[in-house]
Amino acid sequence: MNKGRVWKYGDDVNTDVIFPGKYTYQPMEPAEMAEHSLEDLDPGFAKAVQPGDIIVAGKNFGCGSSREQAATCLKASGVAAIIAPSFSRLFFRNAINSGLPVIELAQGTDDMQKGDLVGVDFAAGKVEHNGNIYSFPPLPPEVLAILEDGGLIPHVKKVLSK
Amino acid sequence: MGMTFAQKILAAKAGLDSIDVGQIVEIEPDVSLSHDNTAAIAKTFAKIGVSNVKDPDMFVIVLDHTVPASEEKYAQNHKEIREFVQMQGIRRFYDVGVGICHQVLPEKGFALPGTLILGSDSHTTTYGAFGAFAAGVGRSEMAVLYATSRIWLKTPASFKIIVRGKLSDPVSAKDLILNIIGSIGADGALYKSVEYTGEAIDDMSIGSRMVLCNMAIEMGAKNGYCAPDKKTFEFLVNRAEGEYTSVYPDDDAVYERVLEFDASALSPQIARPHTVDNVCSVKAVAGTPIHQALLGTCTNGRLEDLRIAAKILKGRTVANGVRLLVLPASQEILLEALKEGVIDTLVRAGGLLLNPGCGPCLGAHQGVLAPGEACISTANRNFKGRMGSRDAETYLGSPATVAASAITGVITDPREFF
């Protein structure tokens, strides 16, 4: 089971604090987007985040705009997964399409704190924290295929080449 | 068993007789929208390895977010979009100044009853006001639509929101939707299709129905819907780009929740910083000082919004120390407002007229906020940092509340001027 260090945030983390609107219409590569990750929520995050870290948050993560950079910037930051009781529909799609695992976990997120180690087995649908194992429902096969191919663009390339 | 609007339209698009909630279908949208994000989408499209947009007539592209370009990088972005549109033969392109996409699509006749519209913008939900199934998607998804014209959608469960009674000026659709979002929360309708119905909805103008559907996303909804009626069809005369067939939910459709609201009992509402569901009556925060007042955006930049603000501001002046920014949602609205004298009234009162577009709503230009400043806005979002500094505050209210507050310099119940 892959383990990652937790960054913990609250309910309704919106796309504007994940990736501010003032950068949204500027041409920018993912690595530069990563430098602005969570800029208006946790200004220290972008510098301190390590590959494999996991974001654990409250309900309705990613609410607001359709901006895909909110998912792209976190993926480019090295975030391995986001765990929350619920996600906004648009963020959920954008994350899958960016190859970033998002886990809807009904229980356990309240106990996970900043700096804790959390294990994720995406294929088995299991999350481990402090010896407790939590299950989450598997993604529909159509959606899982996108994530397994590393995102929507590589997935569509693969499908079109067949 | 009967089907909801969402079930009926998704079943029809997928060529199925019936469809279950949660069922995933692959469909082809009738119309797809993108805006200033088109250059980024075009770059992603290039990575797919398909050289031509499969169906250029499916796409409507409107430049509205940072118009006209305030910096070289925005100018470059617009230039790349114009080149892409030219190269791909996309005819339905509206350059800077025509208006905000969510106003331009209806005006140009692309938001039609019974159609399926996807846009790489969260407020694409607006077109539900015309009986379309309209939802936001991401940039990669739009790039895939360029290449294949197809996308997967999951069939959402539905809420029915019944609004009884009648709204009376200056209480408006904005106050109603803020009240609804405040009561059910920013995730209250997460992933749901929201059908608005009842006497107050029947009674409403098309513009007001657009406010309700525009802000459906602010309670997490996938789409909003108002049943097309005589007002819808009248709006579409001489506009509709093609034939359309209205889709209505079945009488025995099954809803996950049915909520009821009473429009006649409603007072002016406001969303306090920094979430859209942080709603209270305007009275409860009356007296809070403001530095900027914003009248416009895809939520409230229509003629009826400018009219009610002008009615309140006529013969009065904006308070010292307050900037009133006025942004009609489109060129068509600007021309109408000029003809009626509405713009004259607003500018004489001290309003600053800006060009049709998204303006400072997304914090990129045309009136961003400094640390410690407060703005009252007719927009749809008040997130921290949304309009500039992360140490600024945005309150969301109706055009009437914004106008009344601009006069006094503090948040003010518009009924004081009625």
Side-chain angles (χ1 to χ4, degrees):
Chain A
M1 193 177 272
N2 290 322
K3 290 205 167 188
R5 195 174 52 130
V6 167
W7 292 82
K8 182 71 186 280
Y9 301 105
D11 291 341
D12 302 315
V13 172
N14 67 68
T15 50
D16 280 73
V17 298
I18 302 173
F19 190 81
K22 61 189 167 203
Y23 306 126
T24 312
Y25 303 102
Q26 300 177 15
M28 211 181 264
E29 289 303 314
E32 193 185 350
M33 291 178 196
E35 292 169 19
H36 299 293
S37 297
L38 296 175
E39 191 167 282
D40 281 342
L41 179 68
D42 182 356
F45 172 85
K47 278 206 164 63
V49 64
Q50 297 293 317
D53 283 359
I54 289 171
I55 289 176
V56 177
K59 67 181 175 69
N60 201 23
F61 187 89
C63 62
S65 161
S66 64
R67 72 189 62 155
E68 194 164 311
Q69 299 99 316
T72 317
C73 73
L74 295 176
K75 171 78 178 169
S77 299
V79 170
I82 306 174
I83 303 174
S86 62
F87 292 86
S88 91
R89 169 189 164 266
L90 277 162
F91 184 86
F92 192 86
R93 288 184 79 106
N94 284 333
I96 300 288
N97 291 337
S98 304
L100 174 61
V102 272
I103 296 169
E104 276 188 336
L105 199 65
Q107 287 178 314
T109 52
D110 285 350
D111 294 334
M112 298 171 191
Q113 299 304 329
K114 188 176 177 182
D116 288 0
L117 280 177
V118 165
V120 173
D121 184 338
F122 202 80
K126 304 272 185 221
V127 169
E128 185 274 330
H129 173 247
N130 280 349
N132 297 313
I133 302 283
Y134 304 99
S135 297
F136 59 89
L139 291 173
E142 298 93 331
V143 182
L144 192 59
I146 297 171
L147 196 59
E148 282 171 351
D149 288 340
L152 184 64
I153 299 304
H155 174 72
V156 169
K157 275 178 89 161
K158 190 171 133 184
V159 171
L160 290 179
S161 70
K162 274 183 187 164
Chain B
M1 199 193 303
M3 293 198 284
T4 62
F5 167 70
Q7 285 174 297
K8 276 182 111 163
I9 196 157
L10 289 173
K13 283 282 155 197
L16 303 169
D17 292 332
S18 70
I19 200 166
D20 294 325
V21 168
Q23 191 171 335
I24 288 178
V25 287
E26 205 182 75
I27 54 91
E28 190 168 302
D30 297 290
V31 173
S32 297
L33 152 81
S34 60
H35 43 62
D36 295 43
N37 52 22
T38 305
I41 296 165
K43 287 193 184 101
T44 305
F45 168 68
K47 288 183 193 157
I48 300 174
V50 175
S51 48
N52 294 320
V53 170
K54 189 171 181 199
D55 178 8
D57 283 353
M58 180 191 282
F59 300 92
V60 181
I61 295 172
V62 184
L63 296 187
D64 59 2
H65 272 59
T66 55
V67 298
S70 55
E71 293 180 44
E72 191 180 329
K73 57 197 172 213
Y74 296 137
Q76 177 64 27
N77 183 50
H78 290 164
K79 183 175 169 220
E80 287 174 19
I81 295 168
R82 292 184 190 108
E83 287 166 358
F84 178 75
V85 161
Q86 178 91 34
M87 191 174 71
Q88 294 292 345
I90 294 172
R91 298 180 302 143
R92 294 160 170 180
F93 171 63
Y94 300 94
D95 212 320
V96 302
V98 183
I100 307 175
C101 57
H102 302 313
Q103 185 62 29
V104 173
L105 259 74
E107 285 178 0
K108 303 297 179 188
F110 298 112
L112 300 176
T115 58
L116 199 148
I117 306 174
L118 298 176
S120 52
D121 187 281
S122 58
H123 295 111
T124 299
T125 53
T126 309
Y127 318 125
F130 300 87
F133 184 93
V137 294
R139 292 180 178 187
S140 292
E141 295 181 309
M142 192 54 61
V144 170
L145 283 169
Y146 287 173
T148 68
S149 295
R150 299 183 73 78
I151 194 170
W152 68 270
L153 292 175
K154 190 163 114 182
T155 311
S158 298
F159 282 7
K160 184 193 267 195
I161 296 185
I162 304 168
V163 189
R164 305 198 190 283
K166 280 180 195 276
L167 290 167
S168 50
D169 278 352
V171 180
S172 69
K174 182 61 163 288
D175 301 295
L176 175 61
I177 190 65
L178 287 174
N179 184 249
I180 292 171
I181 296 167
S183 17
I184 73 167
D187 63 342
L190 196 59
Y191 207 79
K192 310 303 176 198
S193 170
V194 173
E195 298 180 12
Y196 300 102
T197 181
E199 184 190 357
I201 312 298
D202 296 341
D203 210 37
M204 249 178 217
S205 68
I206 292 294
S208 293
R209 292 176 191 171
M210 288 170 79
V211 175
L212 300 185
C213 291
N214 176 273
M215 289 191 71
I217 181 71
E218 308 308 332
M219 48 183 164
K222 179 171 192 160
N223 68 296
Y225 169 81
C226 298
D229 62 7
K230 197 163 159 268
K231 286 179 202 168
T232 321
F233 308 138
E234 276 169 9
F235 179 91
L236 293 170
V237 171
N238 297 328
R239 291 186 196 268
E241 279 285 323
E243 303 288 307
Y244 60 88
T245 308
S246 300
V247 174
Y248 299 94
D250 291 329
D251 290 340
D252 57 347
V254 178
Y255 294 90
E256 190 176 297
R257 275 182 83 181
V258 177
L259 299 105
E260 293 196 31
F261 291 83
D262 181 2
S264 51
L266 198 64
S267 65
Q269 304 284 299
I270 201 161
R272 295 163 288 185
H274 296 284
T275 57
V276 185
D277 60 357
N278 190 15
V279 175
C280 65
S281 70
V282 171
K283 263 198 159 37
V285 284
T288 306
I290 53 148
H291 306 89
Q292 182 164 295
L294 170 59
L295 177 62
T297 79
C298 60
T299 313
N300 280 126
R302 280 174 282 278
L303 193 57
E304 63 186 36
D305 305 318
L306 304 181
R307 272 184 192 147
I308 193 155
K311 191 171 169 186
I312 290 170
L313 281 154
K314 193 165 182 73
R316 298 189 172 101
T317 49
V318 172
N320 272 334
V322 174
R323 302 141 352 224
L324 170 65
L325 310 181
V326 180
L327 293 96
S330 72
Q331 199 174 58
E332 181 179 316
I333 292 166
L334 171 60
L335 287 168
E336 283 294 320
L338 280 166
K339 204 158 62 183
E340 285 188 14
V342 164
I343 296 294
D344 187 274
T345 303
L346 293 171
V347 173
R348 276 182 203 283
L352 168 60
L353 179 67
L354 292 164
N355 57 280
C358 302
C361 173
L362 66 148
H365 70 156
Q366 285 184 324
V368 296
L369 302 174
E373 288 192 327
C375 176
I376 184 156
S377 168
T378 60
N380 42 40
R381 289 200 177 123
N382 59 351
F383 302 150
K384 204 177 191 50
R386 168 96 182 169
M387 286 187 71
S389 168
R390 63 195 295 266
D391 298 315
E393 295 191 320
T394 301
Y395 292 81
L396 305 177
S398 72
T401 302
V402 165
S405 306
I407 295 166
T408 58
V410 295
I411 292 174
T412 300
D413 189 321
R415 291 174 298 187
E416 289 180 23
F417 291 97
F418 252 71

